[in-house]
């Protein structure tokens, strides 16, 4: 008996010991869509960003998103997690709080006394009575005892309001200020109208036409214009809205089907009939869940905690939202778009709401890897943008906006074409790229290349000629020139042209200060600007300092290494970013901008992962004999700076870029230099990742012995053969296969340390 009891206890002991170290084998939900938290990143404000996101309830790349609105009309922070009142449920097109929204309008159910102004009508709510999924939102409005649900399609949405027993129940439609019109058609249970609100980048004839159809007769109809509520069925002015009212019984559900169009009122109704028609609320909800599940299932992760899976799929959801589809299908089912550049309705694709300064780094490389057909459509949209405006977009929302620097559209186009994606007018796009290298838009200097004349003559943009962020521009133009060089080769352009851009791709050397081993502003006479502080944000750089921008030599890390004195000097400078304290000089801005604060509080020295310029830097250890340091720091960032919580980002999410860093890095590789065909290795987060590619092939990333402690790569094999490179080729992934990582708690200081293992640098190509 004692022996039996002893064996039983021994068995239980070993069972518990094993289970504590194993990765979980079962999870709360088999549906990936249930793992996504659209509230990730919503605990943000002007002075500190934990993502600067809002719950975007949408279809992937949908023309319209819908979101609960907790802040005032026109506030870029439309939904903030710490708020406790909802003012409306808003159709939104906002890509960023800094860019703000356009073409927005909202609905809100009200009971009892009619409250139609946004401050008056706002209702208390709680996250405890809130459900947010990518395809569905539900919340209880406490002041009115009404539960609101909505579920969208690409251009339409279905609402369901569950009312209490009340003699005075209403639905308020706010068409917002900036110019709007509403018209109630009671006999059709319909409200139509348009809104014109925007924050720039639209033609004079810009309108968002909408139609809302309800399934209950209206007993009360009112409209307002400015502050005047009237017993009229139509209003047109700066700020208008509509109210419909009726009696309701306890638990009575009132449904609304809504769609919009940038083309016409008739097109809005066509969009409604095509995308919703007679479908029930539940059918649309189910369809939305299936659409998201299909996309999320393209990458299946195994192992890791439930929390890690939630973070991964919440990040992946963000990657699949932008750029926004800005096209519709006409009555003949032909693809057309309203041009946000010239105001005409034209055939073909159009995408918008994207800042390429952010997204060229990882979002668009993700599309070239996972969504080549979508990428081709986006390229067609870029060609259409050039034809309609005379320029390639750099920050569009919906038309050209003045924001950020660089001519990063060249990276998108080159990366697409060089990876074999076709189906668009590459000759027109190349013409547009060449125009960018010589000019800039007069009234929006972020379009084209501001300072191109100085850059082309001197090989850099001088610090002292009145062009802000000059050194950052020089570095980004040089990288774009690398992309143009490789594209020009592929297109068999004249050799003189090819050689010109190859030469310009080395212009990063012109702003490297050998004394400090950092990038530094240079005056027109060839002297470096003085005094110099590597901790000064802005000035010669963009939303960062020299510690951050020095690494923006994506195309030639070997060349940068040589400037820093070789392998040891380069590694020492990389290490220094994490070692130096998080001090800063914010004098250029006259105050501490949120990006600075986010670096300061992260506890990682001067590493500023919350902003884009430095996000590739960790992977540069792979170009040295210390690749294991990349593995350590990648996992540190994955573990420390991301979670699926409302404060789950460490800075601006920015159209999927910070999320794409997580998705790539969690899989075990990252596109350091778009325009090459390589992805640089890191430290995979999960035991296994199965990637289903658009061509039907599967690529599997297997990480044996993976755990929170085992962050280092001891050995790698590719399709069964030992593999000593620190990168993967694009074609290797596209062809399908399996890469196996053997993980360990101690770094392997021998693997991948030789020059033959390093990723591409243009200096090596020349040697």
């Amino acid at each position: 008996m004692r022996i039996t009891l002893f064996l039983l206890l021994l068995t239980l002991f070993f069972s518990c010991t094993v289970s504590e170290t194993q990765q979980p084998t079962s999870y709360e939900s088999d549906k990936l869509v249930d793992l996504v938290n659209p509230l990730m990143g919503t605990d943000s404000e002007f002075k500190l960003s934990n993502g600067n996101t809002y719950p975007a309830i949408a279809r992937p790349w949908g023309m319209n998103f819908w979101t609960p609105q907790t802040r005032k009309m026109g506030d870029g922070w439309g939904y903030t997690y710490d708020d406790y009142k909802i003012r409306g449920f808003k159709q939104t097109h906002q890509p960023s709080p800094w860019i703000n929204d356009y073409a927005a309008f909202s609905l809100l159910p009200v009971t009892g006394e009619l409250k139609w102004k946004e401050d008056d009508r706002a209702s208390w709510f709680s996250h405890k009575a809130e459900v947010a999924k990518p395809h569905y939102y539900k919340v209880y409005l406490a002041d009115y005892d009404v539960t609101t649900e909505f579920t969208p399609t690409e251009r339409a949405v279905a609402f369901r309001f569950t009312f209490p027993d009340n003699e005075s129940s209403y639905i308020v439609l706010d068409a917002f200020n900036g110019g709007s019109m509403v018209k109630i058609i009671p006999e059709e249970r319909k409200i139509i109208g348009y809104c014109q609100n925007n924050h720039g980048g639209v033609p004079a004839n810009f309108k968002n036409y909408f139609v809302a159809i309800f399934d209950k007769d209206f007993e009360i109809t009112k409209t307002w214009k400015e502050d005047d509520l009237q017993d009229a069925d139509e209003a047109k002015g700066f700020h208008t809205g509509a109210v419909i009212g009726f009696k309701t019984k306890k638990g009575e559900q009132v449904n609304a089907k809504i769609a919009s169009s940038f083309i016409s009122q008739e097109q809005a109704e066509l969009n409604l009939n095509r995308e919703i028609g007679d479908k029930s609320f539940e059918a649309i909800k189910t369809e939305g869940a299936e659409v998201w599940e299909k996309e999320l299932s393209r990458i299946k992760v195994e192992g890791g905690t439930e929390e890690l899976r939630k973070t991964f799929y919440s990040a992946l959801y963000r990657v699949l939202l932008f750029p926004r589809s800005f096209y519709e299908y006409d009555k003949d089912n032909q693809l057309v778009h309203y041009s946000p550049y010239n105001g005409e309705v034209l055939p073909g694709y159009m995408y918008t709401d994207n800042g390429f300064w952010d997204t060229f780094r990882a979002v668009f490389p993700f599309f070239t890897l996972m969504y080549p057909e979508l990428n081709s459509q986006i390229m067609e949209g870029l060609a259409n943008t050039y034809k309609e405006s005379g320029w390639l977009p750099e920050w569009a929302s919906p038309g050209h906006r003045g924001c950020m620097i660089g001519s990063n559209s060249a990276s998108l186009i080159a990366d697409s074409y060089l990876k074999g994606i076709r189906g668009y007018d590459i000759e027109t796009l190349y013409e547009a790229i060449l125009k960018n290298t010589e000019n800039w838009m007069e009234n929006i200097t972020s379009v084209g290349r501001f300072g191109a004349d100085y850059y082309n003559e001197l090989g850099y943009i001088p610090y002292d000629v009145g062009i802000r962020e000059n050194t950052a521009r020089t570095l980004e133009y040089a990288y774009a020139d690398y992309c143009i060089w490789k594209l020009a080769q592929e297109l068999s352009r004249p050799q003189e042209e090819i050689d010109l851009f190859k030469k310009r791709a080395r212009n990063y050397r012109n702003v490297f200060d050998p004394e400090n081993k950092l990038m530094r502003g240079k005056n027109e006479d060839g002297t470096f600007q003085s005094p110099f502080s590597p901790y000064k944000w802005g000035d010669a750089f963009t939303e960062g300092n020299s510690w951050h921008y020095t690494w923006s030599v994506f195309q030639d890390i070997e060349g940068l290494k040589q400037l820093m004195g070789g392998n040891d000097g380069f590694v020492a400078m990389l290490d220094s970013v994490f070692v130096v304290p998080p001090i800063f000089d914010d004098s250029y801005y006259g105050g501490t901008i949120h990006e600075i604060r986010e670096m300061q509080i992260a506890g990682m020295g001067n590493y500023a992962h919350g902003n884009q310029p430095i996000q590739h830097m960790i992977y540069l250890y792979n170009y040295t004999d210390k690749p294991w340091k990349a593995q350590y720091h990648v996992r540190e960032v994955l573990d420390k700076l991301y979670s699926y919580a409302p404060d789950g980002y460490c800075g601006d999410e920015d159209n999927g870029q910070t999320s794409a860093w997580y998705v790539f890095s969690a899989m075990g590789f990252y596109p350091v230099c778009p325009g090459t065909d390589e992805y640089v290795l890191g430290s995979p987060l999960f035991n296994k990742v199965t990637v289903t590619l658009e061509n039907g092939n599967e690529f599997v990333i297997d990480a044996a012995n993976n755990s929170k402690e085992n962050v280092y790569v001891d050995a790698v094999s590719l399709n069964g053969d030992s593999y000593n490179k620190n990168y993967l080729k694009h074609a290797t992934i596209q062809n399908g296969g399996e890469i196996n990582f053997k993980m360990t708690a101690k770094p392997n200081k021998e693997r991948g340390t030789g020059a033959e293992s390093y990723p591409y640098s243009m200096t090596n190509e020349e040697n």
Side-chain angles (χ1 to χ4, degrees), residues 379 381-394 400 407 409-410 413 425-440 447-449 484 487 491 493 501:
M379 292 302 113
L382 292 182
N384 287 335
T385 297
Y386 177 66
K387 293 172 184 176
E388 294 161 25
S389 73
W391 296 94
L392 287 168
E394 300 298 337
H400 293 302
S407 56
S409 53
I413 296 163
D425 185 354
I426 189 60
E427 296 300 331
T428 292
L429 288 174
Y430 189 79
E431 174 189 314
I433 287 172
L434 290 183
K435 179 180 178 179
N436 266 9
T437 67
E438 300 292 336
N439 300 278
W440 63 89
V447 176
R449 288 190 182 183
I484 300 169
L487 182 58
L491 295 175
R493 299 289 298 182
F501 289 108

Side-chain angles (χ1 to χ4, degrees), residues 33 36-39 55 57 79 130-138:
V33 71
V36 176
N37 181 17
L39 304 185
I57 316 303
Y79 177 101
E130 181 186 40
V131 176
K133 302 289 184 184
H135 62 290
Y136 169 72
Y137 182 85
K138 177 181 180 180

